[in-house]
Amino acid sequence: MKVIYVDNNATTKVAPEVVEEMLPYFTELYGNASSMHYFGGQLGKKIIEARERVGALIGADTSEIIFTSCGTESDSTAIFSAIRAFPEKKHIVTTRVEHPAVLNLCKYLASNGYDVTFIGVNREGMLDIEEVKNAITDNTAIVSVMYANNETGVIFPVEEIGQIAKAKGALFHCDAVQAVGKIPINLKKSTIDMLSISGHKLHAPKGIGVLYVRKGTKFRPFLMGGHQEHGRRAGTENVPYIVGLGKACELALQYMDDENTRVKYLRDKLEEGILKNIPRTLLNGNKEHRLPNTLSVSFEFIEGEAILLKLSDLGICASSGSACTSGSLEPSHVLRAMGVPFTAAHGSIRFSLSRYNTEEEIDYILEHLPGVIEGIRDISPFWKKEYKKAV
Amino acid sequence: MWEYSDKVKDHFNNPRNVGEIEDPDGVGEVGSLACGDALKLTFKLDKEGRIADVKFKTFGCGSAIASSSALTEMIKGKTLDEALKITNKDIADYLDGLPEEKMHCSVMGREALEAAIANYKGEDLKKKSTEGKIVCNCFGVTEQQIARAVRENNLKTVEQVTNYTKAGGGCQSCHPEIEKIIQRVQKEMLAKEIERRKLEGKKLTNLQKIMKIQEIIEGEIRPALIRDGGDIEIVDIKDNKVYVALRGKCTACPSSQITVKGVVESKLKEFVSEDIEVEEVKSEEVF
């Protein structure tokens, strides 16, 4: 069966060019970059090249790039670094819609002596900048706000937030794993002090990430040990994955236009087709301030897992913020924070596209989705025939 | 990704008896849109009082739909008394099992069935469903519902209770209260079990009694002693007297008499018969 993969905010296909570039570093050039001999030492150049490629994508200097094992490590490193560098400050500001990598760490700190402010969002998933302004104080060690939300794709006004943080002397960390590679980011002109990247969200493999740390930012390492990454992240350099991530960043830069034109067009086509042809369907998240590849919709009166199972049988891979898919009993924290109506909270589906999706695939989804939704609604005790007209 | 059995997949993809019976004899509605799953069950009886037709409509995940579909198949042709005997476990078994986190789907099926039968009998459903104190406010689960799930499925942890009833799956502030209910019901269950065993014990033949004593010493007492570096052996059983020898660390243990009287004897009294006496035989007496 053909697989139509529209779950790219969960993870992406590794680009074939990336794999090709990585392969020699497993069995041929397998040395340790820290070795004195040429065989290992020559890898240092490849790591620098990768750093340059990452830097080119986000507008950073090579000295500002720290390779990590994943986005979660980058997030933990940034937040722990800030609270260790400013031990006298006991306040953290974040949002209610962060990824668990930030949210659960902040909850942990909240029960371990820190005062944490969780900023809410409105019905469209947007932050209230005034609320952020009021939350940050002189006692705030770090403000951690995501660049774009993984479920809705909503982009937050991070530069404005960074300015407010700066004015109060707080560090600003930005979890940008969903944004990097999808929208242009230039940290040369930015208020962001630290920024997290995850390789597998931009067609590099799982197991590699980056923490950007602006020059001059007070920093304390998370993993301690060897001198790697200038003593900022111990652990033998993961050469093949670093090389892979560098290539993936280079490709992301090349495809940036495609992402914001063709991929965006496909997303918009999918969105319009769904909202036009399937009654009682809501768009989750602000339409304008949104990643070009992400679409979150809620189908009223039905439950997301049932939809995903039917889609999966058709080869369509998407995801849901419904309770049942995760094993929890409540819809996702993002949808709850947005106050999605209870008729729709359990029936959310997220489609997230990538450069590998085609128009035929979108047409295929649009052809089959209405039938799937209708079939499940026919079983639902809350669905009424008269709703059909109310498109 | 959930590991669903083929039967669950079949009942999800080809649900049996979907719909609503017009002019039904009984209607049961449980769950809500806010809770994430809901089930409406309607049935009609034949002249002999058997369920002639039954239909369902379900809002929920794959296993909720499959559980509802399975339930309708299971109760067709049954009398109401027979149908009421079906437990949530029966529904899960019929589907070759459900993931632990999805057991609440089978509980919803059983609750809808009860609601429908209560409706047929003219019982006040509202009163019945709100009977008992609400323990979990997030999902509106009562003490009774929790106690029943614990009893019928021998649940031991809060996590299990959440999997089976949803209680405690939201803000989690009711976890201590759920813990208390588990302890109370488990205690009740144990007391009943002891009572049952005692009743059985009175009717035991000599041989059965000896086997029972062996079973308890082997199954419940020995493992605990072995963990502590000791051991126990049955030397002889004469009428109500059980002669045991302690081994390993137990032989040198100053509290061995407490072990014999306090643990072994009281266990056997509890589970076999009140008249049992246990005596320790020192090693030299054995050999």
Side-chain angles (χ1 to χ4, degrees):
Chain A
M1 184 175 55
K2 200 183 169 232
V3 169
I4 294 176
Y5 190 79
V6 281
D7 199 11
N8 287 280
N9 286 10
T11 194
T12 58
K13 164 180 169 168
V14 181
E17 300 95 318
V18 167
V19 177
E20 196 186 334
E21 192 129 338
M22 286 171 71
L23 283 177
Y25 297 91
F26 289 104
T27 53
E28 292 158 41
L29 298 163
Y30 51 81
N32 187 325
S34 301
S35 299
M36 272 314 293
H37 47 70
Y38 176 75
F39 180 68
Q42 65 177 329
L43 300 174
K45 278 187 204 147
K46 284 305 288 187
I47 295 177
I48 291 170
E49 185 192 58
R51 247 186 258 285
E52 284 167 355
R53 286 167 159 180
V54 177
L57 179 64
I58 59 173
D61 193 82
T62 51
S63 66
E64 297 173 316
I65 305 291
I66 302 173
F67 289 112
T68 64
S69 65
C70 59
T72 297
E73 188 197 322
S74 300
D75 292 336
S76 274
T77 304
I79 292 170
F80 275 112
S81 171
I83 63 175
R84 284 175 184 152
F86 298 95
E88 70 288 356
K89 296 185 174 182
K90 294 291 181 195
H91 180 230
I92 297 168
V93 175
T94 187
T95 77
R96 285 179 61 193
V97 297
E98 292 301 306
H99 186 274
V102 169
L103 196 62
N104 288 341
L105 174 56
C106 287
K107 283 182 183 167
Y108 165 80
L109 292 171
S111 56
N112 282 275
Y114 279 84
D115 182 17
V116 183
T117 306
F118 296 93
I119 308 280
V121 293
N122 66 11
R123 180 66 189 83
E124 290 195 322
M126 310 268 281
L127 285 177
D128 180 358
I129 201 82
E130 282 303 311
E131 213 182 320
V132 179
K133 214 174 258 177
N134 295 333
I136 304 174
T137 71
D138 296 338
N139 191 34
T140 306
I142 183 165
V143 177
S144 180
V145 174
M146 63 197 338
Y147 210 114
N149 184 267
N150 48 311
E151 287 189 36
T152 59
V154 167
I155 299 169
F156 290 142
V158 287
E159 292 305 336
E160 277 179 73
I161 295 168
Q163 265 171 20
I164 303 167
K166 222 139 247 124
K168 296 276 186 181
L171 286 183
F172 180 40
H173 165 249
C174 185
D175 175 4
V177 301
Q178 293 295 346
V180 172
K182 291 175 189 150
I183 50 175
I185 290 175
N186 184 5
L187 293 171
K188 286 237 156 45
K189 299 177 202 156
S190 171
T191 55
I192 296 167
D193 295 310
M194 291 185 276
L195 178 133
S196 303
I197 302 175
S198 166
H200 75 99
K201 308 284 191 196
L202 63 143
H203 306 287
K206 296 151 190 75
I208 185 76
V210 162
L211 178 65
Y212 158 90
V213 180
R214 179 177 296 282
K215 260 185 239 172
T217 304
K218 260 196 178 181
F219 184 81
R220 300 285 180 275
F222 184 59
L223 290 188
M224 281 173 249
H227 55 85
Q228 294 89 352
E229 303 294 290
H230 299 285
R232 295 182 297 179
R233 199 275 187 182
T236 300
E237 294 91 343
N238 187 359
V239 180
Y241 284 68
I242 289 172
V243 168
L245 178 59
K247 183 68 187 173
C249 286
E250 187 188 73
L251 290 170
L253 201 55
Q254 285 169 21
Y255 280 95
M256 191 60 78
D257 272 349
D258 179 70
E259 184 84 19
N260 288 277
T261 52
R262 194 187 62 87
V263 174
K264 183 175 184 295
Y265 160 77
L266 294 181
R267 191 275 312 268
D268 291 343
K269 181 174 181 178
L270 184 62
E271 177 177 324
E272 274 164 39
I274 289 173
L275 295 177
K276 207 176 117 201
N277 294 314
I278 305 176
R280 300 299 292 244
T281 303
L282 314 171
L283 175 68
N284 296 318
N286 180 276
K287 205 171 152 68
E288 305 307 319
H289 299 94
R290 199 165 37 138
L291 295 173
N293 78 318
T294 308
L295 169 63
S296 171
V297 284
S298 277
F299 302 101
E300 286 188 277
F301 312 112
I302 51 175
E303 197 280 330
E305 187 210 270
I307 304 169
L308 290 185
L309 289 172
K310 294 278 182 198
L311 289 181
S312 179
D313 285 345
L314 291 162
I316 301 168
C317 313
S319 71
S320 168
S322 103
C324 291
T325 49
S326 61
S328 80
L329 292 168
E330 294 186 320
S332 86
H333 65 287
V334 177
L335 298 177
R336 274 185 290 148
M338 290 165 63
V340 172
F342 69 97
T343 52
H346 290 276
S348 79
I349 298 289
R350 178 189 69 188
F351 300 95
S352 45
L353 281 57
S354 82
R355 69 177 82 122
Y356 295 111
N357 289 119
T358 64
E359 186 146 13
E360 288 75 51
E361 291 179 331
I362 299 305
D363 291 338
Y364 178 84
I365 298 172
L366 286 174
E367 184 191 331
H368 289 93
L369 188 61
V372 166
I373 300 300
E374 198 177 329
I376 302 169
R377 279 177 169 170
D378 282 343
I379 305 178
S380 170
F382 302 112
W383 179 251
K384 296 190 173 71
K385 286 218 163 65
E386 56 263 32
Y387 291 152
K388 273 189 187 177
K389 297 162 206 152
V391 176
Chain B
M1 190 79 198
W2 300 109
E3 288 288 335
Y4 285 137
S5 71
D6 289 341
K7 262 213 166 140
V8 173
K9 285 182 203 156
D10 177 39
H11 276 269
F12 168 63
N13 283 319
N14 312 294
R16 331 300 199 248
N17 311 308
V18 174
E20 273 179 55
I21 294 175
E22 272 180 48
D23 191 22
D25 290 326
V27 184
E29 284 178 275
V30 290
S32 75
L33 263 174
C35 282
D37 47 20
L39 167 52
K40 183 174 186 181
L41 197 73
T42 49
F43 70 79
K44 230 178 167 48
L45 297 175
D46 63 15
K47 280 178 200 142
E48 284 114 55
R50 289 181 181 275
I51 295 171
D53 197 8
V54 53
K55 286 202 179 336
F56 81 92
K57 280 209 161 181
T58 289
F59 160 72
C61 58
S63 60
I65 291 167
S67 295
S68 312
S69 168
L71 173 72
T72 59
E73 289 286 278
M74 290 167 78
I75 63 175
K76 242 187 203 174
K78 284 202 161 61
T79 66
L80 296 185
D81 283 343
E82 286 166 354
L84 274 176
K85 288 202 182 94
I86 290 172
T87 65
N88 72 285
K89 199 175 166 301
D90 295 331
I91 299 171
D93 288 347
Y94 182 88
L95 289 166
D96 293 336
L98 285 172
E100 189 70 9
E101 293 87 343
K102 298 280 189 177
M103 285 302 287
H104 59 84
C105 296
S106 64
V107 174
M108 180 171 75
R110 199 251 299 138
E111 284 178 353
L113 173 63
E114 276 168 17
I117 293 176
N119 169 261
Y120 166 74
K121 289 179 177 166
E123 290 166 16
D124 189 344
L125 259 184
K126 278 243 168 72
K127 198 179 154 214
K128 197 165 173 140
S129 65
T130 52
E131 231 173 73
K133 194 178 107 206
I134 293 210
V135 173
C136 169
N137 284 309
C138 297
F139 290 101
V141 189
T142 64
E143 186 169 351
Q144 273 188 338
Q145 287 169 305
I146 294 170
R148 177 161 185 183
V150 171
R151 212 173 293 126
E152 286 183 352
N153 300 283
N154 191 21
L155 307 182
K156 296 198 169 80
T157 65
V158 175
E159 196 189 337
Q160 284 178 316
V161 168
T162 305
N163 287 337
Y164 280 71
T165 66
K166 292 185 155 196
C171 73
Q172 311 193 344
S173 65
C174 62
H175 281 195
E177 215 171 323
I178 295 175
E179 188 68 56
K180 272 187 207 154
I181 297 170
I182 296 171
Q183 279 173 11
R184 174 174 62 78
V185 175
Q186 283 287 352
K187 223 172 158 185
E188 284 167 14
M189 283 161 65
L190 187 69
K192 266 196 193 150
E193 176 67 9
I194 290 166
E195 198 52 41
R196 192 181 64 78
R197 288 197 193 184
K198 268 189 197 158
L199 285 176
E200 274 181 7
K202 281 188 186 133
K203 294 174 221 145
L204 292 180
T205 64
N206 223 18
L207 182 65
Q208 282 172 327
K209 193 193 278 175
I210 290 170
M211 284 170 68
K212 196 97 192 162
I213 290 168
Q214 265 183 328
E215 182 191 310
I216 285 166
I217 288 185
E218 286 294 320
E220 305 203 16
I221 297 168
R222 269 195 82 201
L225 290 180
I226 290 171
R227 262 201 303 278
D228 291 339
D231 203 351
I232 190 169
E233 192 181 306
I234 303 170
V235 178
D236 203 356
I237 299 172
K238 283 177 193 152
D239 298 326
N240 283 326
K241 280 211 162 179
V242 182
Y243 298 93
V244 298
L246 295 173
R247 300 268 183 257
K249 273 193 184 167
C250 294
T251 49
C253 176
S255 53
S256 66
Q257 200 50 36
I258 299 173
T259 307
V260 170
K261 286 285 169 191
V263 181
V264 184
E265 189 173 286
S266 68
K267 272 257 171 193
L268 293 179
K269 273 186 193 291
E270 210 175 295
F271 290 104
V272 185
S273 158
E274 278 292 342
D275 325 320
I276 283 187
E277 273 179 65
V278 179
E279 283 209 21
E280 188 190 352
V281 185
K282 293 286 176 194
S283 298
E284 47 270 32
E285 296 169 45
V286 181
F287 298 107

